[in-house]
Amino acid sequence: MTDERGAELLRRGGGPRRATFLELFLDVVFVFAFTRVSQRLIHDITVGGRRLPLDLAQTLVLLLALWMVWSLTAWATSHYDPDQPPIRAVMVWSMFGSLVMAVSVPEAFDAHGLSFAAGYVAIQVGRSAYLSLALRRHAQRHLSDRILVWSAVSAVPWIVGGLVDTDARLPLWAVALVIDYVGAVVGWPVPSLGRAKASAWTVTAEHLAERYQQFIIIALGEMIFISGVGFSTSEFTLLRWLAFADAFATTVLLWRIYFHRAGSVLAEAVAEAAEPARLGKSATYTHLAMIAGIVTTAVGFELVIAEPTGHIDPVRFAAIFGGPALFVVGRARLEYEVFGRVSWSRPVGLLVLVLALPVLVRLPLLGIAVSATAVLTGMAVVDALRARGRPPEHPATPM
């Protein structure tokens, strides 16, 4: 393959700027993957007992692994042309590997540890190795070469963790994730090649922003799925109807708060940034926080629907109230990344959540969920009032 052929794999000015249908197809796999993570988290909370901290740490490792796979795939299709056959092959390969990981999630720290690790390593190592081969002598090959080296290093604790006893699996996989995330943060430095600077990874602003937006929709869809399944398999009592309606209202509020206004102009902010890739990388971890908040909120509503008059404990409280709080923290960071400031309603809303703790702990689960929804409603109302009669605010990213 010549340098010219390698250059054809890169995005060009006239190439597609929106997500392709194949990318949306990949997202379907992650809808399923997120339901597996949520169900595992629900199981952790309801039957965890003494092992609960360990079970929660295990579930967090699985979520971080899935997010790493999705985010690097999204970056690859924003840097390379997703209509080129080699990039489509990478997408299909990532899709199957993600599906293997998803079906392994429930027993990933038991009988299916090796299949989860193998799916992850196959995607991470396979993607970079294939791109390095496809690019050959093109200068952009050095980017995939760096990622390949780091992925190969982290593959060792991933595979070993899948083979050893389950008690040793968590620390090994945690080490592997640290390697992967540190590599992404520092630019995968390799001797003789150095590290990849942000400017080396050119991104298509509209495409990358759209992928983040679509994943938020995926997480919100998973929240509807979890609450819907939980409600449909229970008795239709009045309190459960109220819990189900509150879950739907919270889902709409999270959607509203995200897309007004920072989420909707993220593409413009990335395009106007002095270093678009730097903003894109920062937004990766911002969206990870919001995704984790949405998943936790979905689990909280599953618990509320199952037992609306149940008494609170620290773990259930963290799910019902901590999920929305984590989402708001991530959303506040996104607002800073896009506009260089944070609306006062965000810290005030979080402060209200903290100050209300002495009262909230005396309420049943449904009362706590409704209180969290009320705080989110206040934020959405403040957003609407602030924008009323004013021209749309344009991005002013500090990056």
Side-chain angles (χ1 to χ4, degrees):
M1 187 176 291
T2 63
D3 292 348
E4 291 75 14
R5 177 54 181 152
E8 291 179 1
L9 300 182
L10 302 176
R11 279 184 176 267
R12 297 179 295 276
R17 306 185 69 84
R18 305 293 299 274
T20 64
F21 290 119
L22 186 57
E23 291 174 275
L24 299 179
F25 195 15
L26 170 70
D27 290 347
V28 174
V29 175
F30 279 88
V31 172
F32 172 69
F34 266 45
T35 62
R36 298 299 87 204
V37 172
S38 296
Q39 289 298 326
R40 182 186 173 92
L41 188 55
I42 291 168
H43 182 269
D44 293 344
I45 294 174
T46 53
V47 300
R50 292 184 182 180
R51 287 180 50 88
L52 182 59
L54 179 62
D55 291 338
L56 294 178
Q58 291 174 349
T59 303
L60 177 61
V61 164
L62 301 179
L63 175 63
L64 291 175
L66 287 165
W67 177 254
M68 174 59 72
V69 166
W70 183 89
S71 60
L72 278 184
T73 303
W75 273 74
T77 53
S78 188
H79 182 68
Y80 302 103
D81 186 350
D83 282 340
Q84 291 292 325
I87 307 304
R88 288 182 176 178
V90 168
M91 291 287 296
V92 173
W93 180 253
S94 300
M95 191 184 307
F96 180 70
S98 300
L99 185 58
V100 171
M101 294 173 64
V103 298
S104 305
V105 163
E107 300 292 331
F109 282 89
D110 197 357
H112 299 158
L114 183 58
S115 61
F116 184 89
Y120 182 90
V121 170
I123 296 171
Q124 297 294 86
V125 174
R127 180 203 303 117
S128 300
Y130 184 75
L131 289 173
S132 292
L133 179 63
L135 290 167
R136 291 198 178 179
R137 293 181 298 276
H138 193 278
Q140 284 293 327
R141 174 182 174 174
H142 294 318
L143 180 58
S144 55
D145 286 346
R146 293 183 180 96
I147 300 175
L148 176 59
V149 171
W150 279 73
S151 297
V153 172
S154 73
V156 176
W158 273 115
I159 297 300
V160 173
L163 292 171
V164 300
D165 183 79
T166 55
D167 291 337
R169 188 168 296 165
L170 178 60
L172 283 168
W173 283 5
V175 168
L177 273 179
V178 168
I179 294 172
D180 289 329
Y181 274 86
V182 169
V185 170
V186 301
W188 305 281
V190 173
S192 77
L193 292 180
R195 68 182 184 90
K197 298 180 180 179
S199 58
W201 198 320
T202 56
V203 296
T204 305
E206 183 179 1
H207 174 270
L208 188 61
E210 185 181 74
R211 297 301 286 136
Y212 288 140
Q213 294 162 350
Q214 288 166 348
F215 210 82
I216 289 290
I217 295 297
I218 289 173
L220 293 175
E222 184 269 345
M223 185 172 169
I224 291 176
F225 178 86
I226 292 296
S227 59
V229 170
F231 184 55
S232 66
T233 56
S234 63
E235 295 184 12
F236 282 22
T237 63
L238 176 60
L239 290 180
R240 286 196 174 98
W241 270 110
L242 293 175
F244 179 62
D246 188 44
F248 178 75
T250 299
T251 305
V252 174
L253 286 167
L254 295 179
W255 164 81
R256 168 67 177 176
I257 292 171
Y258 173 80
F259 282 100
H260 182 91
R261 162 101 164 116
S264 61
V265 298
L266 180 58
E268 186 179 345
V270 175
E272 294 182 359
E275 292 183 284
R278 182 186 171 203
L279 175 54
K281 180 186 289 188
S282 179
T284 297
Y285 306 107
T286 298
H287 282 77
L288 172 59
M290 288 186 284
I291 295 297
I294 293 173
V295 170
T296 306
T297 303
V299 171
F301 273 109
E302 167 74 8
L303 300 172
V304 174
I305 291 172
E307 195 179 1
T309 59
H311 295 294
I312 197 66
D313 61 50
V315 176
R316 285 173 170 78
F317 186 88
I320 298 170
F321 233 54
L326 181 57
F327 174 86
V328 171
V329 170
R331 177 57 177 75
R333 176 178 164 85
L334 178 67
E335 191 171 0
Y336 175 78
E337 290 170 337
V338 172
F339 296 117
R341 50 94 182 149
V342 176
S343 298
W344 61 267
S345 63
R346 313 302 184 221
V348 169
L350 292 173
L351 181 61
V352 170
L353 294 178
V354 174
L355 295 178
L357 286 179
V359 176
L360 293 174
V361 295
R362 302 176 183 273
L363 298 177
L365 299 183
L366 179 57
I368 296 173
V370 170
S371 300
T373 305
V375 174
L376 293 175
T377 301
M379 292 184 187
V381 169
V382 169
D383 286 345
L385 293 176
R386 185 174 182 272
R388 189 176 182 180
R390 296 182 180 181
E393 187 176 6
H394 295 288
T397 174
M399 299 183 180

